[in-house]
Amino acid sequence: MKTLAFATLVMFPLFAAAQAGPAPSAAPLQRDVRWIDAHDRSLVATQLLTRRGDGALVYRYDRQATPARRYHERMCELIGGAPAAGETVLGSADAAGSLACTLPAAAAGTPGVIVDGLFHPSPRPPANASAQAEDAARADASDDYAHAAAPGGAAPRGENFQAVGGAGYSSETGGTGSAKTSLDNDRCTIEQTTPVPAGGSEAVVLLVTCIEQRVRALPTYTRACMNTTCVTETGFIDVLDLSPPTR
């Protein structure tokens, strides 16, 4: 599969407000992301987030200023998608800057990892392919179908990276599709809901930003639900020490 070039994402240090407790806040929280566009220009976009009562951060594309919208659009364009409407929920401060994109209904979201401005598709099959096949068979017995793809691949220690998970839905009666992609037992998460029309299909890709300071395997999963029909795929990301050897 062809490797896709992505804009480079560097998260600035989090503001103190983001590190506070889970108390709800009416004032928007600001997160700056610096990225390199297609013309190799360094740009900065400020994302506006709100905090829910449970402490999760909520991002909405339609509430962003033009630079943040353009950043979101560019990231989604590179995977053949468009910014997802509605609320995208980030489950931790480490996940700030994460995004959701919608894809053509017939498309399948490809899982993987974005490192140093490049998208690397997952090189391994899902960790629980047989279990997912059983879940999919049960889903086929109803009017609703859901598909999940967990992030996988490798990422450098001590650097921000984006894990990419995919989900797809279809329904004879319509309803709501929902997806959650998680790293490290919910340390970095992103959630998105998508309306699905009767007889229709939808597909999404979830990009969750995270960082890990230790060399180890980070567990991942994506859970996708179409109404009450749900499937889960698990995987892992190898965190590697890529620093040059010392003499």
Side-chain angles (χ1 to χ4, degrees):
M1 183 172 292
K2 183 178 179 181
T3 298
L4 302 178
F6 270 77
T8 299
L9 171 66
V10 178
M11 297 301 303
F12 285 104
L14 299 179
F15 288 84
Q19 299 173 341
S25 174
L29 306 173
Q30 295 186 355
R31 297 291 176 272
D32 286 347
V33 291
R34 178 179 292 159
W35 57 292
I36 308 299
D37 69 5
H39 304 288
D40 203 30
R41 295 176 300 187
S42 178
L43 303 175
V44 175
T46 300
Q47 294 179 323
L48 299 180
L49 310 173
T50 56
R51 190 184 294 280
R52 293 194 318 193
D54 61 0
L57 300 177
V58 177
Y59 169 93
R60 289 186 63 99
Y61 169 78
D62 58 7
R63 294 177 182 170
Q64 306 303 310
T66 298
R69 288 193 184 198
R70 182 55 190 146
Y71 162 72
H72 194 162
E73 292 163 4
R74 176 61 180 166
M75 294 294 283
C76 292
E77 285 170 1
L78 291 169
I79 55 172
E87 292 187 348
T88 298
V89 180
L90 313 182
S92 73
D94 284 341
S98 306
L99 301 169
C101 308
T102 58
L103 297 174
T110 301
V113 179
I114 300 172
V115 179
D116 293 334
L118 292 176
F119 173 54
H120 304 276
S122 177
R124 64 177 67 91
N128 61 340
S130 59
Q132 183 183 349
E134 293 174 3
D135 288 341
R138 285 194 292 270
D140 283 339
S142 73
D143 291 331
D144 298 330
Y145 175 81
H147 168 75
R157 177 180 65 84
E159 295 183 22
N160 288 309
F161 65 91
Q162 286 184 308
V164 180
Y169 326 101
S170 64
S171 176
E172 292 298 319
T173 57
T176 300
S178 61
K180 176 181 180 178
T181 290
S182 166
L183 276 71
D184 199 18
N185 301 312
D186 288 350
R187 178 167 65 86
C188 301
T189 67
I190 183 171
E191 300 178 61
Q192 173 71 21
T193 57
T194 303
V196 179
S201 299
E202 299 291 339
V204 298
V205 171
L206 304 178
L207 291 76
V208 56
T209 303
C210 202
I211 190 170
E212 173 57 39
Q213 301 296 341
R214 293 181 291 162
V215 174
R216 64 188 183 105
L218 284 183
T220 72
Y221 71 83
T222 295
R223 180 170 177 81
C225 297
M226 181 63 230
N227 296 323
T228 59
T229 297
C230 299
V231 295
T232 301
E233 179 180 293
T234 62
F236 64 92
I237 293 172
D238 290 311
V239 179
L240 309 175
D241 188 352
L242 303 181
S243 57
T246 58
R247 296 183 178 180

